[in-house]
Amino acid sequence: RVIVAVAAAPKKSWIPAVKGGGNFTDPEWLDGSLPGDYGFDPLGLGKDPAFLKWYREAELIHGRWAMAAVVGIFIGQAWSGVPWFEAGADPNALAPFSFGSLLGTQLLLMGWVESKRDGVYIPDTEKLERLKLAEIKHARIAMLAMLIFYFEAGQGKTPLGALGL
Ligand code: XAT
């Protein structure tokens, strides 16, 4: 146990260490075993291990949707000129492609992904941990981006518009 503690890199914390010791110590339920654990849980939501597992699952799923959404919001508007928050408003608006091409594209892309399912690529542990950390970091920044997109939309602004594009 001692050897592990000595060998492991010091865990990064969300709050810089305060000289002379602050009031912040990482909660013991955040032991660094989860990728992207910086000891941030002031409300203690993850105290119960079952909840912690559930919250991590929710964080990942929200993050993956948000990552897809951020890309979709940029590409959708660049492609069609329609802001993401108006895309569903016009019942007469048509997608710039037919249902057939949508279905065909879907079949090709999903078929390709599914065909990869058997010979699953399993990176070595070190690489896997790096990828997991990258995923959770990208997921978090995408969720933050979505939050900002919502505020922007409240002012009638789009991400592309706000960038002056
Ligand atoms: C608190 C304390 C606790 C520790 C900790 C804490 C903080 C939590 C925070 C959570 C923030 C979550 C966010 C999630 C966003 C403080 C409680 C860590 C800060 C911001 O002790 O918990 C539609 C049509 C359009 C095209 C397209 C479309 C789809 C959009 C989708 C968006 C998904 C967004 C998500 C955002 C999550 C359909 C609108 C692409 C799918 C999942 O035309 O936009």
Side-chain angles (χ1 to χ4, degrees), residues 116-135:
K116 297 282 165 197
R117 210 212 295 238
D118 266 348
V120 196
Y121 161 66
I122 301 171
D124 60 75
T125 327
E126 195 187 321
K127 186 158 186 214
L128 189 62
E129 286 312 304
R130 208 154 26 85
L131 289 173
K132 282 182 179 171
L133 182 62
E135 178 181 38

Side-chain angles (χ1 to χ4, degrees), residues 101-119:
S101 22
L102 181 64
L103 193 66
T105 313
Q106 174 90 0
L107 283 177
L108 276 176
L109 289 178
M110 284 310 287
W112 179 75
V113 173
E114 285 294 311
S115 76
K116 297 282 165 197
R117 210 212 295 238
D118 266 348

Side-chain angles (χ1 to χ4, degrees), residues 2-143:
V2 172
I3 294 170
V4 172
V6 170
K11 196 181 133 187
K12 286 187 194 157
S13 186
W14 65 281
I15 193 151
V18 183
K19 232 185 170 176
N23 290 321
F24 290 99
T25 44
D26 284 1
E28 70 270 16
W29 57 92
L30 292 180
D31 59 4
S33 56
L34 287 172
D37 166 8
Y38 297 105
F40 182 71
D41 190 6
L43 296 186
L45 300 180
K47 224 178 240 172
D48 180 329
F51 277 135
L52 183 60
K53 192 169 175 276
W54 187 86
Y55 273 117
R56 170 44 59 100
E57 203 64 31
E59 183 181 28
L60 263 178
I61 302 291
H62 276 86
R64 287 170 184 163
W65 276 109
M67 287 190 280
V70 169
V71 176
I73 282 170
F74 277 100
I75 293 183
Q77 190 182 356
W79 182 290
S80 67
V82 182
W84 64 276
F85 48 84
E86 285 171 7
D90 181 358
N92 297 313
L94 286 175
F97 36 76
S98 70
F99 179 71
S101 22
L102 181 64
L103 193 66
T105 313
Q106 174 90 0
L107 283 177
L108 276 176
L109 289 178
M110 284 310 287
W112 179 75
V113 173
E114 285 294 311
S115 76
K116 297 282 165 197
R117 210 212 295 238
D118 266 348
V120 196
Y121 161 66
I122 301 171
D124 60 75
T125 327
E126 195 187 321
K127 186 158 186 214
L128 189 62
E129 286 312 304
R130 208 154 26 85
L131 289 173
K132 282 182 179 171
L133 182 62
E135 178 181 38
I136 201 75
K137 282 184 173 176
H138 282 95
R140 286 171 179 166
I141 204 154
M143 290 188 276

